[in-house]
Amino acid sequence: LGWTRHRLGRNEEALVELLKAAGDGDADGVILEHLGDVYERLGREAEAVAAWKQAAAKFEKSLPDEAERLEQVKAKLKTV
């Protein structure tokens, strides 16, 4: 739901949903990556970087299956 709202440009609503999804402390890398994307869109770069770093750590634990996603997150980290 959060990612759909982000894609519709409703980033404040997306943030609420993604924070709920990430809130249990055991969110997967995809949720954390999407959370970072929404933070970036909202101009909250420090929070975006933190979320992307968490996502990268999750993806690293799932190598080699998540190698492509890990590289995508690393590329995002280089842009901020």
Side-chain angles (χ1 to χ4, degrees), residues 54-65:
Q54 290 177 331
K58 295 283 184 167
F59 291 143
E60 285 176 353
K61 290 180 183 178
S62 300
L63 289 174
D65 295 339

Side-chain angles (χ1 to χ4, degrees), residues 16-75:
V16 170
E17 296 302 327
L18 288 166
L19 285 171
K20 285 181 197 175
D24 65 2
D26 194 33
D28 69 14
V30 174
I31 296 294
L32 294 167
E33 180 183 6
H34 291 333
L35 181 60
D37 294 344
V38 170
Y39 276 135
E40 180 190 38
R41 187 65 52 95
L42 293 171
R44 296 167 65 172
E45 288 185 4
E47 290 159 300
V49 168
W52 288 331
K53 285 182 178 180
Q54 290 177 331
K58 295 283 184 167
F59 291 143
E60 285 176 353
K61 290 180 183 178
S62 300
L63 289 174
D65 295 339
E66 297 291 357
E68 186 176 332
R69 290 208 75 119
L70 176 59
E71 291 308 312
Q72 290 171 351
V73 171
K74 285 182 177 180

